[in-house]
Amino acid sequence: MISALRGEIARLDPDLALFDIHSMSERIDLPWLPRTSMLLANAFGAIALFLATLGIYGVLAYLSPGHS
């Protein structure tokens, strides 16, 4: 099936490079994929939490009585 796919894609666009071809079930079974997704989601969550904390601090510092 992969050779037929390569042939059809080469017919459509001969300059397109194909590599690392897997079926969807093979992709789902890759062991590093869930861990990478989890780490990426955690990193974005941590960045969002930091930015929210920084924003709240900035608003509270601006509204403090000592600000002129």
mmCIF file with all atom_site columns, all heavy atoms in Angstrom, residues 14 20 36 42 50 56 58 62:
data_model
loop_
_atom_site.group_PDB
_atom_site.id
_atom_site.type_symbol
_atom_site.label_atom_id
_atom_site.label_alt_id
_atom_site.label_comp_id
_atom_site.label_asym_id
_atom_site.label_entity_id
_atom_site.label_seq_id
_atom_site.pdbx_PDB_ins_code
_atom_site.Cartn_x
_atom_site.Cartn_y
_atom_site.Cartn_z
_atom_site.occupancy
_atom_site.B_iso_or_equiv
_atom_site.pdbx_formal_charge
_atom_site.auth_seq_id
_atom_site.auth_comp_id
_atom_site.auth_asym_id
_atom_site.auth_atom_id
_atom_site.pdbx_PDB_model_num
ATOM 1  N N   . PRO A 1 14 ? 6.020  15.564 -8.109  1.00 0.00 ? 14 PRO A N   1
ATOM 2  C CA  . PRO A 1 14 ? 7.298  14.844 -8.037  1.00 0.00 ? 14 PRO A CA  1
ATOM 3  C C   . PRO A 1 14 ? 8.323  15.485 -7.104  1.00 0.00 ? 14 PRO A C   1
ATOM 4  O O   . PRO A 1 14 ? 9.279  14.832 -6.708  1.00 0.00 ? 14 PRO A O   1
ATOM 5  C CB  . PRO A 1 14 ? 7.797  14.848 -9.479  1.00 0.00 ? 14 PRO A CB  1
ATOM 6  C CG  . PRO A 1 14 ? 6.960  15.812 -10.223 1.00 0.00 ? 14 PRO A CG  1
ATOM 7  C CD  . PRO A 1 14 ? 5.738  16.086 -9.429  1.00 0.00 ? 14 PRO A CD  1
ATOM 8  N N   . ASP A 1 20 ? 8.824  8.625  6.674   1.00 0.00 ? 20 ASP A N   1
ATOM 9  C CA  . ASP A 1 20 ? 8.171  8.261  7.934   1.00 0.00 ? 20 ASP A CA  1
ATOM 10 C C   . ASP A 1 20 ? 6.670  8.025  7.735   1.00 0.00 ? 20 ASP A C   1
ATOM 11 O O   . ASP A 1 20 ? 5.842  8.625  8.404   1.00 0.00 ? 20 ASP A O   1
ATOM 12 C CB  . ASP A 1 20 ? 8.421  9.349  8.982   1.00 0.00 ? 20 ASP A CB  1
ATOM 13 C CG  . ASP A 1 20 ? 8.128  8.862  10.391  1.00 0.00 ? 20 ASP A CG  1
ATOM 14 O OD1 . ASP A 1 20 ? 8.233  7.655  10.624  1.00 0.00 ? 20 ASP A OD1 1
ATOM 15 O OD2 . ASP A 1 20 ? 7.783  9.707  11.240  1.00 0.00 ? 20 ASP A OD2 1
ATOM 16 N N   . THR A 1 36 ? 4.683  13.129 24.967  1.00 0.00 ? 36 THR A N   1
ATOM 17 C CA  . THR A 1 36 ? 5.021  14.414 24.364  1.00 0.00 ? 36 THR A CA  1
ATOM 18 C C   . THR A 1 36 ? 3.824  15.352 24.385  1.00 0.00 ? 36 THR A C   1
ATOM 19 O O   . THR A 1 36 ? 3.970  16.533 24.717  1.00 0.00 ? 36 THR A O   1
ATOM 20 C CB  . THR A 1 36 ? 5.505  14.204 22.924  1.00 0.00 ? 36 THR A CB  1
ATOM 21 O OG1 . THR A 1 36 ? 6.611  13.299 22.926  1.00 0.00 ? 36 THR A OG1 1
ATOM 22 C CG2 . THR A 1 36 ? 5.923  15.506 22.298  1.00 0.00 ? 36 THR A CG2 1
ATOM 23 N N   . ASN A 1 42 ? 1.195  20.572 29.411  1.00 0.00 ? 42 ASN A N   1
ATOM 24 C CA  . ASN A 1 42 ? 1.625  21.081 30.714  1.00 0.00 ? 42 ASN A CA  1
ATOM 25 C C   . ASN A 1 42 ? 2.469  22.343 30.579  1.00 0.00 ? 42 ASN A C   1
ATOM 26 O O   . ASN A 1 42 ? 2.346  23.270 31.388  1.00 0.00 ? 42 ASN A O   1
ATOM 27 C CB  . ASN A 1 42 ? 2.404  20.018 31.474  1.00 0.00 ? 42 ASN A CB  1
ATOM 28 C CG  . ASN A 1 42 ? 1.504  18.958 32.062  1.00 0.00 ? 42 ASN A CG  1
ATOM 29 O OD1 . ASN A 1 42 ? 0.310  19.173 32.256  1.00 0.00 ? 42 ASN A OD1 1
ATOM 30 N ND2 . ASN A 1 42 ? 2.062  17.804 32.330  1.00 0.00 ? 42 ASN A ND2 1
ATOM 31 N N   . PHE A 1 50 ? 1.524  31.456 34.576  1.00 0.00 ? 50 PHE A N   1
ATOM 32 C CA  . PHE A 1 50 ? 2.484  32.516 34.868  1.00 0.00 ? 50 PHE A CA  1
ATOM 33 C C   . PHE A 1 50 ? 2.003  33.862 34.338  1.00 0.00 ? 50 PHE A C   1
ATOM 34 O O   . PHE A 1 50 ? 2.068  34.884 35.035  1.00 0.00 ? 50 PHE A O   1
ATOM 35 C CB  . PHE A 1 50 ? 3.848  32.159 34.264  1.00 0.00 ? 50 PHE A CB  1
ATOM 36 C CG  . PHE A 1 50 ? 4.847  33.274 34.354  1.00 0.00 ? 50 PHE A CG  1
ATOM 37 C CD1 . PHE A 1 50 ? 5.422  33.599 35.574  1.00 0.00 ? 50 PHE A CD1 1
ATOM 38 C CD2 . PHE A 1 50 ? 5.190  34.005 33.236  1.00 0.00 ? 50 PHE A CD2 1
ATOM 39 C CE1 . PHE A 1 50 ? 6.336  34.642 35.670  1.00 0.00 ? 50 PHE A CE1 1
ATOM 40 C CE2 . PHE A 1 50 ? 6.105  35.039 33.313  1.00 0.00 ? 50 PHE A CE2 1
ATOM 41 C CZ  . PHE A 1 50 ? 6.679  35.354 34.529  1.00 0.00 ? 50 PHE A CZ  1
ATOM 42 N N   . ILE A 1 56 ? -2.458 39.679 36.998  1.00 0.00 ? 56 ILE A N   1
ATOM 43 C CA  . ILE A 1 56 ? -3.166 40.039 38.245  1.00 0.00 ? 56 ILE A CA  1
ATOM 44 C C   . ILE A 1 56 ? -2.268 40.878 39.132  1.00 0.00 ? 56 ILE A C   1
ATOM 45 O O   . ILE A 1 56 ? -2.712 41.868 39.725  1.00 0.00 ? 56 ILE A O   1
ATOM 46 C CB  . ILE A 1 56 ? -3.650 38.769 38.960  1.00 0.00 ? 56 ILE A CB  1
ATOM 47 C CG1 . ILE A 1 56 ? -4.770 38.123 38.152  1.00 0.00 ? 56 ILE A CG1 1
ATOM 48 C CG2 . ILE A 1 56 ? -4.119 39.081 40.375  1.00 0.00 ? 56 ILE A CG2 1
ATOM 49 C CD1 . ILE A 1 56 ? -5.199 36.763 38.659  1.00 0.00 ? 56 ILE A CD1 1
ATOM 50 N N   . GLY A 1 58 ? 0.117  42.850 38.168  1.00 0.00 ? 58 GLY A N   1
ATOM 51 C CA  . GLY A 1 58 ? 0.230  44.179 37.566  1.00 0.00 ? 58 GLY A CA  1
ATOM 52 C C   . GLY A 1 58 ? -0.997 45.028 37.840  1.00 0.00 ? 58 GLY A C   1
ATOM 53 O O   . GLY A 1 58 ? -0.881 46.225 38.144  1.00 0.00 ? 58 GLY A O   1
ATOM 54 N N   . TYR A 1 62 ? -1.036 48.391 40.224  1.00 0.00 ? 62 TYR A N   1
ATOM 55 C CA  . TYR A 1 62 ? -1.493 49.660 39.667  1.00 0.00 ? 62 TYR A CA  1
ATOM 56 C C   . TYR A 1 62 ? -2.599 50.276 40.536  1.00 0.00 ? 62 TYR A C   1
ATOM 57 O O   . TYR A 1 62 ? -2.672 51.494 40.693  1.00 0.00 ? 62 TYR A O   1
ATOM 58 C CB  . TYR A 1 62 ? -2.005 49.461 38.247  1.00 0.00 ? 62 TYR A CB  1
ATOM 59 C CG  . TYR A 1 62 ? -2.480 50.719 37.594  1.00 0.00 ? 62 TYR A CG  1
ATOM 60 C CD1 . TYR A 1 62 ? -1.570 51.654 37.095  1.00 0.00 ? 62 TYR A CD1 1
ATOM 61 C CD2 . TYR A 1 62 ? -3.833 51.009 37.493  1.00 0.00 ? 62 TYR A CD2 1
ATOM 62 C CE1 . TYR A 1 62 ? -1.981 52.824 36.510  1.00 0.00 ? 62 TYR A CE1 1
ATOM 63 C CE2 . TYR A 1 62 ? -4.269 52.171 36.894  1.00 0.00 ? 62 TYR A CE2 1
ATOM 64 C CZ  . TYR A 1 62 ? -3.356 53.080 36.408  1.00 0.00 ? 62 TYR A CZ  1
ATOM 65 O OH  . TYR A 1 62 ? -3.780 54.242 35.817  1.00 0.00 ? 62 TYR A OH  1
#
